[in-house]
Amino acid sequence: MKSRPGLLALVTVVVILLLQTSAPTPAPAAARVFKIAVVSDVGGRGDLSFNDMAFKGGEDAERDFGVRMVELVSKVEADYVPNLTTAARDPDVQLVVGVGFLLSDALAQVAQRFPNKNFMGIDTFSQSIVKDKFPAKYPLPNLMDIVYEEHKGSALVGALGTLLAAQYNKPYIGGVFGIEIPVLWKFEIGYKWGARWATEWMLKNKPDKAFKYRSDFVLWTYTGTFSDIPKGYAAAKAMYAKDAVAVYNIAGPLGLGINQAVQEIARARGLRSGPPFWIGVDANQDWINPGFVIASMMKRVDKGVYFATKWVRDGTFRSLVKQHNGVVVLGIGTRVAGALAEGISVSTLADLDEFVQMGVNAERLTRKKVLPAPPAEIRARVKAMRDAQPAWVWQAVAELEKAIREGRVTVPLVLTKPDIEKWRNELGWTPEPKRRVS
């Protein structure tokens, strides 16, 4: 009888051990998915510009960082706040991207409602809105605007146009602008400054082609609109009538009007390639009329999305917001947190390949014809056009880019009325009577 308690205790221990052994082991918690959400403006997918570039940046981040991208396409401006809100409510989304300045106000609103989520806007001025309306919250710690050094890119294509004017003995280059707002002054003065730089470069390096910069050398018109294509056509037609070698599109869709003017000249003269040329803006627009778009001043929206995703992944996003008062600039030779972070370039054939592929994708998505010719033909015609220009033209543009990157020259950044008047006095007003900035 004395042995029973001991036996009972032993049995109890064995049962407990058996129960412990057979109890289900809790499964390890699944790793959270890192998602980014990209909210388009009304241009949506297939615009071959801002939105497609942003989605491309998200796809590059998926490839390199293992994140997943959620796409929210806005049909009307009223969709901006709901789409940003939907994205922020997804528990796995760690970065919400708004594409284009039209989303500035919506980003400022929604970022305040979701302080634990990170928000980034491309070409936006959300932090300025916070500063004006909610100064106590400025800079909002979870909100970053990414902007670009368009004045430097404009200087490169201004130089390119001027070198081509010298090569083809043309008297002018032109620029068609949209609404006259300070951000466009960056383009205007950068373009004119680059033109003058090129004339000085030729005096030193190509004296047989050199000419002196004139205050009326750059023809330019503010059309007062970004969407009225006939106004872009009329402005460009007048410039080509004066024998401008190239016209820079700084007016968004009005570039289609510039292209229309070039097409008319090409048909009338039986041309397969320029001159005349036009110069694309923001995205790679070389594909639109291969052989006549000499190059594009590219604002790398894709890089903005890519870098912001990296900064969130690395845990540096909010410290960068603090260091930069919420506004990070990408340009030529720019560095963020010590690392090279550029976002401005003149288009290359590699860029063309990417955009032609976007065109192929856009045709699949929209079931509409987008590309003007088969991809191989577009590339061949653009390459032939570029190869037809003398090497010293491209060499000079590359030298200017290198000088900008190394800080050996400074392209003026003009954003105020006193500055625009000062630089117009120095680099040229319109051929019409001088006017003051309203």
Side-chain angles (χ1 to χ4, degrees):
M1 294 296 290
K2 289 182 181 178
S3 63
R4 284 188 175 179
L7 179 61
L8 183 60
L10 177 61
V11 169
T12 302
V13 169
V14 170
V15 169
I16 290 172
L17 287 174
L18 286 173
L19 287 173
Q20 288 179 338
T21 303
S22 60
T25 302
R32 296 295 296 270
V33 177
F34 181 157
K35 291 167 138 183
I36 63 171
V38 178
V39 178
S40 81
D41 70 6
V42 292
R45 268 287 203 182
D47 68 347
L48 296 181
S49 186
F50 258 49
N51 292 298
D52 278 343
M53 287 282 278
F55 290 121
K56 174 186 174 302
E59 290 163 357
D60 291 344
E62 286 184 317
R63 179 198 62 216
D64 290 352
F65 306 138
V67 304
R68 283 177 51 194
M69 176 171 61
V70 178
E71 302 180 13
L72 293 98
V73 176
S74 304
K75 302 295 185 186
V76 295
E77 291 188 18
D79 289 341
Y80 295 158
V81 168
N83 280 346
L84 292 171
T85 302
T86 298
R89 283 177 175 158
D90 185 329
D92 294 326
V93 167
Q94 297 188 38
L95 173 67
V96 181
V97 177
V99 185
F101 72 95
L102 292 173
L103 278 88
S104 299
D105 190 66
L107 278 166
Q109 290 180 46
V110 180
Q112 291 181 68
R113 289 167 47 198
F114 295 91
N116 295 324
K117 293 296 176 77
N118 302 300
F119 293 82
M120 185 274 281
I122 294 287
D123 247 8
T124 46
F125 50 93
S126 309
Q127 288 285 10
S128 293
I129 293 172
V130 174
K131 187 177 183 179
D132 290 342
K133 295 183 178 179
F134 314 100
K137 296 183 178 179
Y138 173 79
L140 208 61
N142 60 329
L143 175 61
M144 176 185 290
D145 294 310
I146 288 187
V147 297
Y148 294 83
E149 292 180 327
E150 298 98 337
H151 56 303
K152 295 181 179 177
S154 296
L156 295 178
V157 294
L160 174 60
T162 304
L163 297 160
L164 292 171
Q167 169 64 14
Y168 293 102
N169 194 28
K170 300 289 186 181
Y172 300 108
I173 62 172
V176 174
F177 295 74
I179 299 169
E180 186 167 352
I181 51 179
V183 70
L184 264 67
W185 293 340
K186 295 166 65 178
F187 290 82
E188 178 194 327
I189 298 303
Y191 189 55
K192 292 175 179 176
W193 184 93
R196 187 177 68 177
W197 180 93
T199 60
E200 294 167 351
W201 184 92
M202 286 185 286
L203 282 172
K204 297 175 185 173
N205 300 282
K206 196 67 179 171
D208 59 315
K209 295 290 186 182
F211 62 89
K212 190 173 181 181
Y213 182 82
R214 309 184 316 269
S215 62
D216 68 342
F217 174 65
V218 180
L219 306 174
W220 50 285
T221 298
Y222 278 93
T223 58
T225 171
F226 287 106
S227 57
D228 191 339
I229 293 173
K231 287 191 175 181
Y233 164 77
K237 188 175 181 181
M239 294 173 187
Y240 289 124
K242 291 184 175 181
D243 211 14
V245 70
V247 173
Y248 183 22
N249 170 32
I250 317 107
L254 269 64
L256 297 178
I258 300 172
N259 188 54
Q260 184 183 345
V262 170
Q263 285 178 318
E264 282 186 3
I265 297 169
R267 277 196 297 271
R269 299 178 186 172
L271 300 175
R272 289 279 295 169
S273 181
F277 298 108
W278 64 279
I279 299 169
V281 73
D282 290 345
N284 185 312
Q285 299 185 319
D286 305 9
W287 60 273
I288 293 177
N289 190 356
F292 292 92
V293 187
I294 187 66
S296 299
M297 195 287 283
M298 290 187 67
K299 188 157 57 178
R300 300 301 302 264
V301 173
D302 55 332
K303 297 291 186 185
V305 176
Y306 184 87
F307 288 138
T309 305
K310 180 178 184 299
W311 296 329
V312 171
R313 185 199 66 167
D314 295 347
T316 58
F317 183 88
R318 296 198 178 207
S319 63
L320 289 173
V321 169
K322 187 176 180 180
Q323 290 171 26
H324 295 266
N325 282 330
V327 182
V328 170
V329 179
L330 304 182
I332 297 173
T334 45
R335 290 183 171 273
V336 177
L340 201 59
E342 297 193 345
I344 291 289
S345 62
V346 174
S347 59
T348 65
L349 285 175
D351 298 322
L352 176 70
D353 291 339
E354 289 188 342
F355 269 77
V356 168
Q357 185 56 48
M358 284 185 193
V360 171
N361 296 339
E363 288 182 345
R364 188 177 65 249
L365 286 168
T366 64
R367 297 181 181 178
K368 295 179 181 176
K369 188 68 177 170
V370 173
L371 299 174
E377 181 181 337
I378 292 172
R379 192 179 203 282
R381 289 173 63 183
V382 171
K383 184 175 186 304
M385 171 197 65
R386 287 178 171 242
D387 290 347
Q389 312 314 317
W392 60 267
V393 168
W394 301 111
Q395 176 192 339
V397 175
E399 285 187 22
L400 176 57
E401 182 178 342
K402 188 169 186 284
I404 293 172
R405 177 170 287 109
E406 294 176 350
R408 289 185 282 110
V409 297
T410 301
V411 183
L413 173 59
V414 174
L415 292 169
T416 66
K417 290 181 181 178
D419 279 350
I420 188 66
E421 293 206 342
K422 169 186 176 296
W423 281 101
R424 281 177 178 170
N425 280 329
E426 183 169 332
L427 296 174
W429 292 73
T430 59
E432 290 77 28
K434 187 184 291 187
R435 59 190 174 82
R436 296 189 67 80
V437 179
S438 58

